[in-house]
Amino acid sequence: MDKKLPREIVNRKKRGFLVPVQKWLSGELKGYTNDILMHKNSFSAQALGLEKLKTLLGARKGLRKLENSIVLWRLLIFELWFNSYVKNKIADYKY
């Protein structure tokens, strides 16, 4: 890559990148996120309560929406992981 990119790009410190979570959760993943998190049997609904989730999902603008989007993204990923790896193991367990 040294020959194709300028030296200042090749030698600069590594940086992360932002994921458009807020855009996803207010756009194409909005309904999916609501369905997963607001399900009465979801871990998130059980742990936080439906009213708290409604508050998180209801933020409309500004910094609060950004903060809530980050929390919702983490909850969604956790919920999907929990459903795939924990809930199934509990259901398969023979008492």
Side-chain angles (χ1 to χ4, degrees):
M1 282 297 181
D2 291 345
K3 294 177 184 175
K4 294 183 180 187
L5 295 172
R7 182 178 306 248
E8 56 271 4
I9 292 178
V10 173
N11 294 328
R12 75 178 175 195
K13 195 175 181 181
K14 288 185 179 182
R15 294 193 256 175
F17 59 93
L18 295 176
V19 179
V21 171
Q22 189 173 355
K23 181 179 177 184
W24 292 342
L25 294 179
S26 61
E28 60 193 75
L29 291 178
K30 184 177 183 174
Y32 180 73
T33 302
N34 286 352
D35 290 346
I36 297 293
L37 296 180
M38 293 297 291
H39 190 277
K40 65 180 181 177
N41 293 330
S42 75
F43 183 88
S44 300
Q46 300 291 319
L48 298 176
L50 291 174
E51 289 305 313
K52 179 64 177 171
L53 287 174
K54 284 180 190 175
T55 301
L56 288 170
L57 290 163
R60 296 283 180 231
K61 60 184 175 183
L63 187 57
R64 179 65 60 201
K65 182 174 183 177
L66 176 61
E67 291 168 345
N68 288 357
S69 293
I70 293 166
V71 171
L72 288 169
W73 179 253
R74 291 175 179 167
L75 285 172
L76 177 62
I77 298 305
F78 175 80
E79 194 71 50
L80 295 172
W81 171 84
F82 184 82
N83 288 340
S84 295
Y85 295 100
V86 177
K87 212 176 218 181
N88 290 338
K89 300 291 182 199
I90 293 171
D92 292 341
Y93 185 75
K94 305 290 187 223
Y95 292 94

